Amino acid sequence: MKFVSHVTYCLSASLALFAAFANAEVELHGFGSIRVGEISGTIENPNIVDLYQENGLNWRDESLFGLQSNVDLSEDLSFNTQLIGKGINDFDPEVTLAFARYQISPDQQLRFGRVSMPLFSQTDVQYVGYAHDYARLPKATYWRFEFETVDGLSYEAKHALGDFTARYTLIWAEFRGDVFKNVVPDGVEIELQDMRSLSFALGYQNVELFAGVTDANTKGKNIDDFVFSPGVRFAVANSGADLLSQQSFFQELSVSKDASYKFWGSRWRHEDWKIEYERAIYGILNSIDALTYTQYFAISRRFDDYIFTIHREQYRQNQASPAGLATITNNSLLKIAQQLSIGINEPGYAMNVLSMRYDFAANMALKADYFRGGSYSHGRFNGFSLGVDFVF
Amino acid sequence: MYSKLLRFVILLMISWSSAAADLVFVVNSNNKSEFTQAQLMQLYLRKAESFSDGVAANLYHLPRNSAEHQQFCMGILNLTANQYQSFWSRLLFTGNVSAMEHRDNSQMLLQIQSDKAGIGYLPLSADHAGVRAVAILRDRQLEILVP
């Protein structure tokens, strides 16, 4: 699958040239968010929930601009590219989507290139604020992973039978990039190979059930090097454990293992009301990474062009029980592993959020939210945001 | 003074209700597919892509700021026009659809007459000769027309 990244860019370039020579019709659209917000807590800048890493009002972290082009090369074949410049990355544009789409039939399509990976139910529109009613999608679940877009092949199909509808997506892909950019300036390189994903949504009248699962083989030597810092290696070497136990320690806690992402939930609409619930469990299995459990429950009510949503979101990682610790029998090594787990795994938080959307102009929505919650590691916190989401 | 105010309110309500005209859903006259309310909703929400004969549907809308479009959104989809635009942008920015296509009454008629896969809606009072009427939306109630 390593060739896919290179093929993506070759494909982008060749199709763009083809489009230019063929005078194919190019459709351009854009979206953006300009948002200011602040978080404060019992300690200065609690630096939790991956929000507003600096003190005071923050204009940058959630502001972004996106541009998308769609080129119809024929009735069945089109090419899409999407660039996003995020404020948190100094608005440096990155290619988030670049795929060729082949329409097999009206209800089936193949995509090849850089495609969206449905880690969660609304992963594919989390940056298009105008497309959803939250000020931001529940952060506990929508943490914004670098591998939300991957390079590979996607098959999508839809079926409708009476009042029932079904949509499902199969993806085979890979990811190679940097993660932990909020911890290390240049991030830490990671590879997710042989990613396989199945997601589906079943609808009946006003009810929708959705679920998805993604598995991947993680190649995380650089993350292992990052986790097993010289200080950790020194502590292990001086733990008094035999050499075999020391080697086993690193093998058991290594993140070069299988990763798994699962989500499921439902949404229900009735007249002006909408209720939504989503739950997700994910992590790198049998490693130092403790499984992450997230969920949110939201109720929305529409008043013409105003939509008010109140939701509760929770994020939890059990620092005491990463599966990798289970096989470490040496007490000294176990203590080191437990300290590592505390440093790496976030014990979690829960917060309640009240958000408002007001469609004040064509293609523009004003959004505001107020959130309040508590973190196991950082105490209580609260914050707000105000912003405008738009599309064109 | 109160009676004047009452008359004003009644006039306002009459003018408001008259602004919301009945709508007729139309397809090309060669389109022999069967329609249900659920199917119309699925087509406009892109949960289904094709008519019952398997042909991919091309959707057309009246202008976004028209009373008819707003009535269509609320009557068929239970969404405001803004919410429908928001929903559509969700599809657009995942590469699943093109921009929503809007036509005025006369353009809509010509479009549906010429596009074998087209489906659109018009005020019931507007000319809809040369196309097949498949349903009427009246007071948020959809009546499917049997061919």
Side-chain angles (χ1 to χ4, degrees), chain B residues 31-35 132-134 144-147:
Chain B
N31 187 333
K32 305 300 180 199
S33 298
E34 293 174 4
F35 289 87
R132 179 186 157 206
V134 295
I144 299 294
L145 302 176
V146 180

Side-chain angles (χ1 to χ4, degrees), chain A residues 50 53 86 88-89 94 146 175 177-188:
Chain A
D50 200 26
Q53 306 297 320
K86 298 173 191 162
I88 200 162
N89 296 334
E94 54 181 309
E146 280 75 10
F175 170 84
D178 298 325
V179 296
F180 298 154
K181 286 179 183 169
N182 56 343
V183 180
V184 185
D186 293 328
V188 182

Side-chain angles (χ1 to χ4, degrees), chain A residues 27 30-31 68 80 82 101 106-107 109 111 122 124 130-131 158 160 162-163 271 302 305 307 357 359 363, chain B residues 38 42 46 49-50 54 56 64 74 78-80 82-83 85-86 89-90 92-96 98-99:
Chain A
E27 205 175 278
F31 58 89
Q68 180 163 313
N80 286 68
Q82 186 185 82
R101 183 178 68 164
D107 295 325
Q109 58 173 271
R111 294 178 177 199
Q122 302 182 74
D124 51 0
Y130 183 80
K158 296 177 186 177
D163 284 346
E271 297 185 348
R302 176 183 69 198
D305 282 330
I307 297 172
R357 172 188 177 129
D359 285 279
N363 299 333
Chain B
Q42 288 162 4
R46 283 293 187 179
E49 300 280 339
S50 49
R64 182 177 167 182
M74 196 54 85
N78 187 29
L79 297 171
T80 65
N82 284 326
Q83 280 184 295
Q85 186 67 26
S86 167
S89 65
R90 171 178 289 240
L92 181 70
F93 290 109
T94 49
N96 279 313
S98 294

Side-chain angles (χ1 to χ4, degrees), chain A residues 253-255 261 282-292 317 321-324 344-345:
Chain A
L253 300 188
S254 167
V255 295
Y261 287 76
Y282 59 85
I284 298 172
L285 306 176
N286 302 315
S287 71
I288 187 65
D289 186 31
L291 282 181
T292 299
Q317 269 188 305
S321 66
I344 288 169
N345 297 306

Side-chain angles (χ1 to χ4, degrees), chain A residues 223-331:
Chain A
I223 294 189
D224 282 345
D225 291 343
F226 175 69
V227 172
F228 305 133
S229 62
V232 173
R233 290 184 183 279
F234 180 81
V236 170
N238 291 281
S239 62
D242 59 71
L243 198 60
L244 199 63
S245 298
Q246 291 182 29
Q247 286 172 345
S248 172
F249 173 90
F250 292 115
Q251 283 168 3
E252 295 298 336
L253 300 188
S254 167
V255 295
S256 290
K257 307 261 177 68
D258 289 344
S260 169
Y261 287 76
K262 295 172 188 158
F263 71 88
W264 64 93
S266 66
R267 57 181 65 92
W268 174 75
R269 295 169 196 273
H270 179 68
E271 297 185 348
D272 294 329
W273 292 90
K274 184 172 81 171
I275 293 177
E276 194 165 53
Y277 174 76
E278 183 172 358
R279 184 172 169 80
I281 301 174
Y282 59 85
I284 298 172
L285 306 176
N286 302 315
S287 71
I288 187 65
D289 186 31
L291 282 181
T292 299
Y293 298 82
T294 80
Q295 63 181 347
Y296 67 87
F297 177 78
I299 300 179
S300 300
R301 171 75 158 87
R302 176 183 69 198
F303 300 90
D304 291 326
D305 282 330
Y306 292 88
I307 297 172
F308 290 88
T309 303
I310 185 159
H311 81 261
R312 178 169 178 80
E313 59 181 78
Q314 289 176 300
Y315 175 104
R316 184 170 60 84
Q317 269 188 305
N318 191 344
Q319 293 174 316
S321 66
L325 270 64
T327 52
I328 297 174
T329 51
N330 182 288
N331 280 339

Side-chain angles (χ1 to χ4, degrees), chain A residues 35-144:
Chain A
R35 175 160 290 109
V36 59
E38 183 175 2
I39 187 169
S40 55
T42 48
I43 60 170
E44 194 171 313
N45 191 0
N47 194 19
I48 54 170
V49 296
D50 200 26
L51 274 172
Y52 310 136
Q53 306 297 320
E54 293 168 3
N55 291 324
L57 286 177
N58 189 308
W59 284 91
R60 207 184 60 163
D61 284 11
E62 292 189 306
S63 296
L64 59 90
F65 297 94
L67 195 62
Q68 180 163 313
S69 71
N70 175 37
V71 183
D72 284 328
L73 301 175
S74 72
E75 198 170 309
D76 300 325
L77 186 64
S78 63
F79 188 69
N80 286 68
T81 53
Q82 186 185 82
L83 298 170
I84 297 185
K86 298 173 191 162
I88 200 162
N89 296 334
D90 289 329
F91 296 104
D92 287 340
E94 54 181 309
V95 179
T96 45
L97 295 176
F99 62 83
R101 183 178 68 164
Y102 178 67
Q103 202 73 36
I104 302 167
S105 72
D107 295 325
Q108 297 180 82
Q109 58 173 271
L110 276 176
R111 294 178 177 199
F112 180 75
R114 179 157 295 179
V115 296
S116 177
M117 173 59 84
L119 292 172
F120 311 112
S121 166
Q122 302 182 74
T123 304
D124 51 0
V125 289
Q126 63 179 317
Y127 297 108
V128 189
Y130 183 80
H132 58 76
D133 298 334
Y134 300 88
R136 79 183 66 70
L137 285 168
K139 195 72 189 177
T141 302
Y142 295 89
W143 196 267
R144 302 194 169 183

